[in-house]
Amino acid sequence: MSSKQNLPDTCDKTDAMAVTVPPATRNSIGHINDPAGSKASSLEKDFRSMSSSLQDYNQESLEEVSRENSPTDFGDSDQVFLENGESQPKVREEKVQSNGLAEKSRRRSSILSKSGRPRKVKKSVSFCSMPTERRVANARDCLACMQEGTELTKLKPNGRMYRRYYWLENDLSEIRWMPTSKTYNKAKILVSQIKEVQNGKNSEAMKNKDVEMLYQEECMLTILYGNNYTPLDLVAKSPDEANIWLAGLNHLIAKQDDLSNGVDGAEQEDPELKRNIRDRWLTEIFIERSGSVVGVLPESEVIRTILGLSPAVDTQYIHQRLKELYSTDRSNAKGMLNCDEFISLYKDVASRQEIYFLMTKYGNSNDYMNAEELMLFLETEQGICDMSKSCCEKLIIDYEPSREGKAKILLGIDGLLAYLLSDTCDIFNSRLHAVTQDMDQPLSHYFINSSHKTYLLEDQLKGPSSVAAYTRVLKQGCRYIEIDCWDGPTEPIVYHGRTLTSKILFADVISTVNEYAFLSSPYPLIVSLENHCCLEQQQIIVDILKTKLGDKLYTTPINGNTFALPSPNQLKYKILIKCKKIEDSSDIISAHGYVSEEDNSVEADWKKITRKSSFKCRAKPAKEPSKQMPMLRELSDLVIWCQSSSLEQFAQHGQSQKPWHVTSMSDTLVHRLMESSSALMEERVACNRHCLARVYPSCSKVDSSNYNPQPMWNCGFQIVALNQQTQGLDTDLNIARFKSNGSCGYVLKPAILRQPSAVFNPEATGPLNLPGVVPRVIQLKVISGHRFPKPLGSTTKSSIIDPYVLIEMFGIRADCANFRTKTVPGNGQNPFFDESFTFYTHFPEMALLKFTVLDDEFIGDEFIAQYTIPVDCINTGYRHINLLSSAGNKLAGCTLFVHITATHGADKKPMRRGNSTLNRLRVVKEAIAIKLVGIKAIDDTTKCLINNLSELAELKFNVETALIKFKEACDVGSVANIKYCVRTIANRACNAKGLTIKLVKSSGLPTFIISDGTPPDILKKALQAYLAWCKECKTLIDNGEPIRKTLLEIQALLRTIQSEMNSYVEEANLSEKKSQKALENFSWNMRVLKEQLTSLDQYTETCHSSFLKVIEAAQVNGVEVMTETES
């Protein structure tokens, strides 16, 4: 019987029709719950009754269907339905070439705009929330959701999209959908035919540009079924729905041998779905806590028990769920829960479905992970490569709460969540909580945690001064503090001069400094004295410093032959005084001298610093008289390594400044430098390599506000002083910058900001190729949030918030970027975002990543929580971020769950298939980056270097390209590792009946061999891509060694030339400007050569380790591994 006779007149005949069946109306459609199918008359009757059930759900679409009253046919039609439910005549267009697809007749789909092009969806302005409140904690919940049914979008390779209603039959034997052009008995896929289920952009239909603009990758789902692995490409409305189908289908695939087709769901017994280890564990807990009252547990004990089992759960959330439970029909009295109610409540408040979906991805679709599966998860996602099976077993015993799980070495959802919430899985690399950097470099090679007007607690006009301010910053690891000294009635006092700020005694400040100076860090503390005292009180200052600080005070004079500052290790537990110093050493008999008084005028500073520049006349400026003030020589003698220097001295001497001279600039002046001239900026960056330089907030910031410290760090300024009593973005960045290296207050600057003759402009916006710096791509997925508090500054009484997350990257100008997630209305308890973003960093050593949670519908303050971290300190994988308040304090239970991957390369235009030649040329050109020096004898050697580096770049490019193709053939994401690809091959071989696969170690290559059967095309494709990748790795290993030897010979030759560089320059008779350029280019080439040698060693090691990982993964996944002789 044809489909025209089976379907009612109320249904439209188009194949692109967008009919949706809500879960509430499914029971009214008889054929859905009828596993054996229905007769034509029954089916027609059911379809005729469907229109009344759909009135509220899709009213507009049904009214249009009724008006047209077209004949029933699911073949070609003259009408299509748009996204809003309206119909219009189908438009026939001429064949066009579009988006790289084959020529085809473009037809408007129900999901396309009227122009036939999809509307681009901007994530940053999406304000949708989760479409459902259903909770998923195990496979049974997933299957229940699938049986209710879901509206999914079907994609075809030609770019067309259709909305269908898919559901799983009650007997778990088949998947069905409607509407369809097929007969009812053919509109199905047997579960036994499903070979594989993939999530993400894996198939050709998913990679269509139109689809990319319309849908998130997390919503995409591909079902491969039949012996030919026929793809069914589907898109869910949310990542949550896609994960439900992914977890449910994977569970059915794993259990399909236990399923009996044709058996009604009510008759089927699946004990593993009905009762599992978790339920038995919770039952044991309930019995233990119930005590003498058998069968029930009081509400207070229920709450105490749940908080004991899952401390991350919010008490108010438990009370809210209890109120909902009490409002239902139940037999027990209010305030008493039976065992089933307790288990249900615990699962409701403590289960997180994103954790369950993660577990099923690696747990072979079960509700638990064994040691091998946990090891695969740790290696693939968490980047932990040194985990053995015994270590994973110990980890399961440590975190799995149930005794049965511990005994069977199985990790359930509660154990996995406990592990992911532990300090072990913190986003900050725990190794960096200790001092890990080289502390033997000169002081000028470090960023120093610094404070401005340290004594102030509030603003700079009338705020209070306190010694508590010194205690606070010293405990936080601050290594540079300021003391403004003024004449007091009998002894020096500290306050902001000529203002209404309160006054404290200088002696009390020094006592506090002596007590807390080295509490959080052993490295030198710089005390900046702004001296405004008379000679008598200066003597008191000297006496107090010597008496209270004692041996901590550094007083050893500078050796006359010193050309660099001492290192932090050399100055451990020493306090350095920074102040003006008497320059005239001829009058050594006089007890005092005179020093210039600092002028804080920005205009005056600007005139001083622009008197000497690379593009202005070097005429000697007229001498401007400066204010002089007396200084006690005994106080001057305490100034050793930190002598305050005026900008006039920098303008006169530039890079020839003495290393112990410290210049100071306001933030306004530095910004003007950045905007005015790259030459001036480069000169300042070069000077910062050997001299200390300080930046402070301009005097106009009387409210103690701050400036963004990131641009100052980019220029190499070491002492970037902030008003640390003021909370906000700027202090958040400062705290994050000094969180690494054991929070000791000193962070080593990147090599390019330390090495001489290195040219670096942090304000450049174009493509950067910095020698010795490996760019990085950060792929970030914000999954969910938990227990977001109400904003402190909010003036509303309601506790409901509408949170969203702002993610910002701070670094050099080329790296700065920001994204925001969608807003989740009315859910601060467990908002679900599941959105992905990509950051490209050319200079990751300087980059900071900041997460800020904000309230979209705020009245007053929108800030909820924040967390900032250096990119180099990030642990990749699935991580919980413990969010902080505006004051930097940890918020109890307030977390953000994210997934982070970091890969090399910062090209915003990723490689595309079909452009392999252009990609190859671009990669080779970027990898070489060699500059000619302008001296023939040196450039001849440089050209030989270029040829070898070109060959090396091609070898690396071939390996990377082959790996990308291998991952594509395995239909896994770009961040998946080799072990996950091998697991895919093993699973496909296992699904192909009668097929035997072995791994043979031959000629240094682990090779897969198929016997006893013919592999399906999808497996053949993966094995061919694997073999191509192996050959490219072997080629790099074989050819890389002679290239390495040649590069080492060239490096030795260039080092010899470097020692005689001055003579080469003199023989070439180069001008001063060309000589400087030659030196810079030669140093650049040396760094490039060193970087490429390191890169070659890394690639060779990676190829060798990848072969070992293939063998390990094959053994774990049941593939027989043998030697070539055994085979």
Side-chain angles (χ1 to χ4, degrees):
M1 186 176 294
S2 69
S3 59
K4 292 183 179 181
Q5 294 172 321
N6 287 341
L7 299 177
D9 293 339
T10 55
C11 286
D12 187 74
K13 62 184 179 179
T14 177
D15 189 44
M17 168 180 163
V19 175
T20 308
V21 185
T25 62
R26 274 199 74 248
N27 291 333
S28 65
I29 306 174
H31 81 279
I32 292 180
N33 289 325
D34 184 5
S38 301
K39 295 182 179 180
S41 59
S42 175
L43 182 61
E44 183 175 355
K45 180 179 179 181
D46 291 332
F47 268 81
R48 288 184 183 278
S49 65
M50 184 176 64
S51 60
S52 60
S53 302
L54 295 175
Q55 290 297 325
D56 295 333
Y57 190 78
N58 204 2
Q59 183 67 31
E60 186 176 359
S61 177
L62 286 175
E63 287 177 357
E64 189 65 34
V65 172
S66 178
R67 283 198 302 269
E68 294 297 328
N69 197 19
S70 59
T72 304
D73 186 6
F74 279 91
D76 290 337
S77 170
D78 291 331
Q79 284 192 341
V80 294
F81 282 81
L82 300 177
E83 188 174 14
N84 59 5
E86 296 178 356
S87 65
Q88 69 175 34
K90 193 180 294 182
V91 178
R92 301 287 184 183
E93 298 182 3
E94 301 219 348
K95 292 184 178 182
V96 294
Q97 185 74 22
S98 174
N99 298 329
L101 300 176
E103 289 188 348
K104 60 182 182 292
S105 178
R106 299 278 312 270
R107 291 183 291 177
R108 295 177 184 169
S109 167
S110 60
I111 309 176
L112 297 179
S113 63
K114 291 185 178 181
S115 64
R117 302 287 300 175
R119 293 181 296 277
K120 188 172 182 179
V121 178
K122 295 183 179 180
K123 295 180 182 178
S124 61
V125 293
S126 173
F127 296 94
C128 58
S129 64
M130 291 280 293
T132 174
E133 289 294 329
R134 55 195 174 193
R135 308 286 294 177
V136 175
N138 50 40
R140 180 172 49 189
D141 296 338
C142 292
L143 297 180
C145 295
M146 293 165 63
Q147 287 173 327
E148 289 180 6
T150 309
E151 183 187 90
L152 304 172
T153 301
K154 178 182 178 181
L155 304 180
K156 287 192 173 182
N158 61 7
R160 298 198 68 191
M161 312 173 195
Y162 308 101
R163 284 181 179 163
R164 298 284 184 263
Y165 192 78
Y166 291 82
W167 71 92
L168 174 68
E169 287 288 14
N170 287 348
D171 63 357
L172 310 180
S173 64
E174 56 192 25
I175 298 172
R176 290 188 172 273
W177 62 88
M178 64 168 291
T180 176
S181 60
K182 301 177 181 178
T183 60
Y184 175 73
N185 287 332
K186 292 184 179 180
K188 64 181 180 181
I189 295 177
L190 297 178
V191 171
S192 59
Q193 293 179 327
I194 299 177
K195 303 296 184 182
E196 195 174 324
V197 186
Q198 301 168 353
N199 181 225
K201 191 169 53 179
N202 296 316
S203 67
E204 291 297 325
M206 298 292 191
K207 295 173 183 176
N208 188 316
K209 290 183 178 179
D210 294 350
V211 175
E212 287 182 352
M213 288 188 290
L214 276 174
Y215 302 110
Q216 290 180 248
E217 184 175 355
E218 294 81 4
C219 297
M220 299 178 182
L221 190 73
T222 300
I223 301 174
L224 302 176
Y225 64 95
N227 294 331
N228 295 325
Y229 284 73
T230 305
L232 173 62
D233 297 312
L234 304 172
V235 180
K237 287 184 177 179
S238 68
D240 177 52
E241 289 185 349
N243 283 326
I244 288 174
W245 279 85
L246 180 69
L249 289 175
N250 278 328
H251 178 84
L252 291 177
I253 293 172
K255 302 298 179 182
Q256 60 182 313
D257 292 338
D258 299 330
L259 299 177
S260 302
N261 294 334
V263 180
D264 187 76
E267 299 175 358
Q268 182 170 334
E269 294 293 333
D270 192 349
E272 192 169 353
L273 290 179
K274 295 183 178 181
R275 176 71 75 179
N276 54 30
I277 297 176
R278 192 187 194 196
D279 289 344
R280 290 192 287 272
W281 165 62
L282 290 173
T283 301
E284 291 174 3
I285 297 294
F286 180 85
I287 295 173
E288 289 176 3
R289 299 297 174 90
S290 60
S292 58
V293 184
V294 180
V296 292
L297 202 61
E299 178 182 314
S300 59
E301 186 62 28
V302 167
I303 295 174
R304 192 180 302 110
T305 302
I306 291 177
L307 292 177
L309 298 176
S310 184
V313 179
D314 186 18
T315 306
Q316 293 183 353
Y317 187 52
I318 300 176
H319 283 292
Q320 177 187 340
R321 292 301 184 184
L322 282 170
K323 288 180 181 179
E324 295 174 4
L325 176 64
Y326 296 151
S327 64
T328 61
D329 294 334
R330 49 194 301 274
S331 57
N332 294 318
K334 185 176 180 180
M336 304 295 290
L337 277 71
N338 61 30
C339 184
D340 290 339
E341 290 173 334
F342 168 75
I343 293 175
S344 177
L345 177 64
Y346 177 83
K347 289 183 178 181
D348 189 28
V349 300
S351 298
R352 287 172 46 184
Q353 54 199 31
E354 67 269 27
I355 304 298
Y356 171 72
F357 294 143
L358 175 61
M359 186 177 61
T360 57
K361 180 179 179 181
Y362 289 93
N364 199 22
S365 308
N366 291 315
D367 290 345
Y368 294 88
M369 284 197 293
N370 58 31
E372 289 86 357
E373 292 162 346
L374 178 60
M375 184 166 63
L376 180 64
F377 164 72
L378 295 176
E379 292 178 344
T380 303
E381 300 291 356
Q382 306 300 88
I384 305 175
C385 300
D386 55 351
M387 291 293 288
S388 62
K389 182 179 178 182
S390 59
C391 291
C392 292
E393 291 175 350
K394 183 180 183 303
L395 190 148
I396 292 174
I397 293 172
D398 290 340
Y399 289 99
E400 172 57 32
S402 67
R403 287 191 291 267
E404 185 178 354
K406 291 176 185 287
K408 295 181 178 179
I409 313 297
L410 294 174
L411 186 70
I413 184 173
D414 299 285
L416 180 59
L417 177 58
Y419 171 70
L420 292 173
L421 283 171
S422 67
D423 292 339
T424 307
C425 284
D426 190 74
I427 189 173
F428 191 90
N429 190 341
S430 60
R431 187 179 63 86
L432 301 178
H433 285 308
V435 176
T436 56
Q437 296 176 349
D438 179 11
M439 302 305 289
D440 292 316
Q441 301 277 340
L443 283 179
S444 57
H445 288 183
Y446 297 86
F447 297 120
I448 303 173
N449 192 357
S450 308
S451 169
H452 177 64
K453 304 293 181 188
T454 313
Y455 48 87
L456 290 175
L457 294 177
E458 295 176 8
D459 66 84
Q460 302 189 23
L461 289 180
K462 56 181 180 179
S465 304
S466 174
V467 294
Y470 289 93
T471 303
R472 177 175 54 83
V473 298
L474 290 173
K475 283 183 176 181
Q476 292 174 350
C478 190
R479 297 289 87 194
Y480 176 96
I481 58 175
E482 295 182 358
I483 306 175
D484 290 359
C485 306
W486 296 81
D487 289 334
T490 57
E491 59 178 308
I493 57 175
V494 177
Y495 83 113
H496 193 194
R498 303 184 183 93
T499 66
L500 299 178
T501 59
S502 62
K503 303 172 179 63
I504 54 178
L505 294 177
F506 177 79
D508 292 342
V509 172
I510 297 303
S511 296
T512 303
V513 170
N514 180 59
E515 182 179 356
Y516 294 98
F518 303 108
L519 185 66
S520 61
S521 172
Y523 296 107
L525 173 67
I526 301 174
V527 177
S528 175
L529 296 182
E530 190 171 314
N531 177 28
H532 301 277
C533 295
C534 63
L535 292 176
E536 291 78 9
Q537 297 216 3
Q538 286 184 36
Q539 184 62 56
I540 298 175
I541 289 176
V542 173
D543 294 340
I544 291 173
L545 289 173
K546 290 183 176 180
T547 303
K548 292 186 178 294
L549 299 182
D551 293 339
K552 295 177 184 176
L553 187 63
Y554 188 90
T555 57
T556 306
I558 299 174
N559 187 334
N561 298 324
T562 301
F563 299 101
L565 291 169
S567 70
N569 272 338
Q570 291 174 318
L571 297 173
K572 265 188 174 182
Y573 300 105
K574 291 297 181 181
I575 295 176
L576 308 179
I577 300 298
K578 172 187 172 290
C579 191
K580 291 282 186 177
K581 188 175 179 68
I582 300 173
E583 290 285 355
D584 184 12
S585 59
S586 61
D587 189 10
I588 57 175
I589 301 174
S590 174
H592 71 274
Y594 289 90
V595 295
S596 62
E597 191 171 352
E598 192 68 34
D599 186 355
N600 289 329
S601 167
V602 175
E603 291 301 327
D605 288 346
W606 178 250
K607 290 177 182 178
K608 293 174 185 175
I609 203 170
T610 54
R611 281 175 186 163
K612 173 185 181 260
S613 68
S614 57
F615 58 87
K616 289 203 170 189
C617 177
R618 306 265 178 134
K620 189 174 180 180
K623 183 88 173 176
E624 294 180 7
S626 59
K627 299 177 183 178
Q628 298 289 309
M629 62 172 293
M631 184 174 187
L632 192 70
R633 185 170 298 278
E634 196 173 353
L635 177 59
S636 175
D637 291 342
L638 294 180
V639 181
I640 309 297
W641 288 112
C642 297
Q643 177 183 340
S644 295
S645 173
S646 67
L647 288 176
E648 246 178 5
Q649 289 175 305
F650 167 67
Q652 291 171 5
H653 303 291
Q655 297 185 41
S656 63
Q657 267 190 303
K658 301 295 184 185
W660 52 83
H661 284 175
V662 182
T663 55
S664 296
M665 302 182 189
S666 69
D667 64 299
T668 307
L669 179 61
V670 176
H671 281 297
R672 185 178 291 188
L673 266 177
M674 294 177 184
E675 296 168 0
S676 63
S677 166
S678 61
L680 275 176
M681 196 67 256
E682 288 176 4
E683 188 172 2
R684 182 66 255 183
V685 171
C687 188
N688 290 344
R689 292 189 174 98
H690 67 278
C691 291
L692 290 177
R694 165 180 169 256
V695 182
Y696 59 91
S698 64
C699 54
S700 62
K701 293 181 169 63
V702 293
D703 59 348
S704 291
S705 58
N706 282 306
Y707 54 92
N708 185 352
Q710 185 64 50
M712 316 305 168
W713 291 322
N714 294 343
C715 297
F717 286 98
Q718 301 89 350
I719 303 172
V720 181
L722 297 178
N723 293 305
Q724 296 204 10
Q725 72 272 25
T726 304
Q727 302 165 1
L729 166 67
D730 311 313
T731 48
D732 292 341
L733 297 179
N734 189 74
I735 292 171
R737 171 65 63 199
F738 295 100
K739 193 179 295 183
S740 63
N741 202 31
S743 299
C744 71
Y746 286 84
V747 172
L748 189 65
K749 294 197 290 187
I752 201 169
L753 293 176
R754 293 184 276 118
Q755 295 170 345
S757 302
V759 179
F760 173 61
N761 182 6
E763 294 300 297
T765 55
L768 299 178
N769 192 354
L770 306 176
V773 178
V774 180
R776 206 170 300 170
V777 179
I778 306 296
Q779 293 175 304
L780 169 68
K781 179 191 284 188
V782 181
I783 302 173
S784 60
H786 302 276
R787 295 181 64 179
F788 290 163
K790 179 182 175 182
L792 290 177
S794 177
T795 58
T796 60
K797 295 182 179 180
S798 173
S799 60
I800 297 176
I801 60 174
D802 301 334
Y804 69 94
V805 183
L806 176 66
I807 310 104
E808 300 168 279
M809 180 72 76
F810 295 89
I812 60 174
R813 184 178 290 273
D815 290 348
C816 293
N818 64 82
F819 298 97
R820 59 155 289 175
T821 66
K822 65 189 177 186
T823 298
V824 180
N827 187 356
Q829 178 60 36
N830 48 12
F832 194 75
F833 302 102
D834 213 340
E835 291 190 81
S836 299
F837 310 98
T838 302
F839 292 92
Y840 302 89
T841 59
H842 298 82
F843 202 175
E845 288 180 272
M846 289 300 300
L848 298 172
L849 190 62
K850 181 177 176 63
F851 300 84
T852 310
V853 182
L854 302 168
D855 186 4
D856 206 18
E857 295 294 331
F858 68 95
I859 301 177
D861 187 9
E862 62 177 342
F863 177 84
I864 296 175
Q866 65 84 24
Y867 186 84
T868 313
I869 182 172
V871 167
D872 273 355
C873 298
I874 292 177
N875 274 327
T876 57
Y878 287 93
R879 305 290 171 180
H880 278 92
I881 300 174
N882 293 293
L883 298 174
L884 309 175
S885 67
S886 58
N889 301 319
K890 186 181 291 188
L891 297 170
C894 182
T895 61
L896 194 65
F897 188 45
V898 300
H899 180 256
I900 301 177
T901 60
T903 54
H904 294 324
D907 190 353
K908 295 188 179 183
K909 295 180 180 179
M911 291 185 290
R912 297 284 185 180
R913 288 173 297 172
N915 293 327
S916 59
T917 303
L918 295 177
N919 288 332
R920 186 185 302 274
L921 292 174
R922 172 172 55 81
V923 170
V924 170
K925 181 180 178 181
E926 291 176 356
I928 299 173
I930 292 295
K931 299 179 180 180
L932 294 178
V933 176
I935 301 174
K936 187 177 184 304
I938 300 177
D939 287 341
D940 289 342
T941 306
T942 303
K943 290 176 182 177
C944 179
L945 176 63
I946 291 175
N947 295 333
N948 284 274
L949 291 183
S950 299
E951 186 178 352
L952 174 59
E954 286 216 20
L955 289 174
K956 295 191 293 185
F957 175 81
N958 292 338
V959 171
E960 291 177 355
T961 304
L963 181 59
I964 291 172
K965 291 181 178 179
F966 177 38
K967 291 179 179 181
E968 288 180 350
C970 292
D971 296 317
V972 297
S974 59
V975 298
N977 65 5
I978 291 298
K979 286 192 173 184
Y980 200 77
C981 295
V982 173
R983 184 191 190 195
T984 302
I985 290 177
N987 289 339
R988 288 178 180 176
C990 182
N991 291 333
K993 295 181 179 179
L995 199 68
T996 302
I997 185 170
K998 299 178 181 179
L999 184 69
V1000 179
K1001 295 181 286 185
S1002 61
S1003 302
L1005 295 179
T1007 306
F1008 286 103
I1009 295 179
I1010 300 293
S1011 60
D1012 300 332
T1014 303
D1017 292 339
I1018 193 170
L1019 181 56
K1020 279 184 182 178
K1021 182 181 176 182
L1023 291 175
Q1024 290 170 356
Y1026 166 77
L1027 185 59
W1029 168 74
C1030 283
K1031 290 180 178 178
E1032 294 297 345
C1033 289
K1034 189 70 166 55
T1035 303
L1036 185 141
I1037 293 171
D1038 295 340
N1039 297 348
E1041 185 57 30
I1043 292 177
R1044 184 176 182 276
K1045 291 180 180 178
T1046 304
L1047 292 179
L1048 287 174
E1049 292 173 359
I1050 295 175
Q1051 187 181 48
L1053 178 60
L1054 290 177
R1055 283 176 176 168
T1056 304
I1057 293 174
Q1058 188 175 25
S1059 63
E1060 304 172 355
M1061 192 65 184
N1062 291 333
S1063 61
Y1064 277 96
V1065 172
E1066 290 176 2
E1067 290 177 8
N1069 197 23
L1070 299 178
S1071 64
E1072 181 182 353
K1073 185 175 180 181
K1074 288 185 177 180
S1075 298
Q1076 182 65 27
K1077 193 67 176 177
L1079 291 172
E1080 291 175 357
N1081 289 352
F1082 186 84
S1083 298
W1084 174 282
N1085 295 339
M1086 290 293 288
R1087 287 193 295 272
V1088 170
L1089 176 55
K1090 182 180 178 182
E1091 175 194 351
Q1092 292 299 322
L1093 280 169
T1094 303
S1095 175
L1096 174 57
D1097 293 339
Q1098 291 174 345
Y1099 268 80
T1100 304
E1101 177 60 28
T1102 300
C1103 291
H1104 282 298
S1105 62
S1106 295
F1107 290 159
L1108 295 177
K1109 289 179 181 179
V1110 168
I1111 297 172
E1112 292 173 3
Q1115 292 172 334
V1116 169
N1117 288 279
V1119 177
E1120 184 180 357
V1121 179
M1122 57 182 63
T1123 62
E1124 189 173 8
T1125 305
E1126 293 172 341
S1127 63

